[in-house]
Amino acid sequence: VDQRRVICFILKKYTKLSLATIGILIGGKDHATVLYAVKTHKQLTSAKDQEYKYNTRDLQKQYKNLL
């Protein structure tokens, strides 16, 4: 689930893909799932959840470099 959140966040932030298109790319999810994943990722990274930040920081770097 963490990977999906990070992928959704990165695709939303760094591409012009629609939420529906991102949903299709991540396994046939709908736009609401993508929106929820992006929102949850932002909340967790802005909160004091250091473990989440640490675990997802490397994922963000890896996926961002792929784009």
Side-chain angles (χ1 to χ4, degrees):
V1 173
D2 289 343
Q3 288 184 348
R4 184 185 303 152
R5 283 188 205 127
V6 174
I7 292 169
C8 289
F9 174 78
I10 289 171
L11 289 174
K12 175 80 171 95
K13 184 173 181 177
Y14 296 106
T15 70
K16 294 181 180 183
L17 298 174
S18 69
L19 295 175
T21 301
I22 294 170
I24 291 168
L25 291 173
I26 63 165
K29 306 297 182 188
D30 66 10
H31 74 283
T33 301
V34 176
L35 188 59
Y36 181 75
V38 170
K39 180 181 174 184
T40 302
H41 176 77
K42 287 180 181 179
Q43 288 174 341
L44 289 170
T45 55
S46 67
K48 295 183 179 180
D49 190 341
Q50 296 299 322
E51 183 178 351
Y52 181 82
K53 287 180 189 179
Y54 178 79
N55 290 336
T56 60
R57 181 180 55 210
D58 291 334
L59 288 174
Q60 289 184 51
K61 288 179 186 176
Q62 289 173 6
Y63 291 127
K64 185 179 172 185
N65 289 333
L66 292 175
L67 300 176

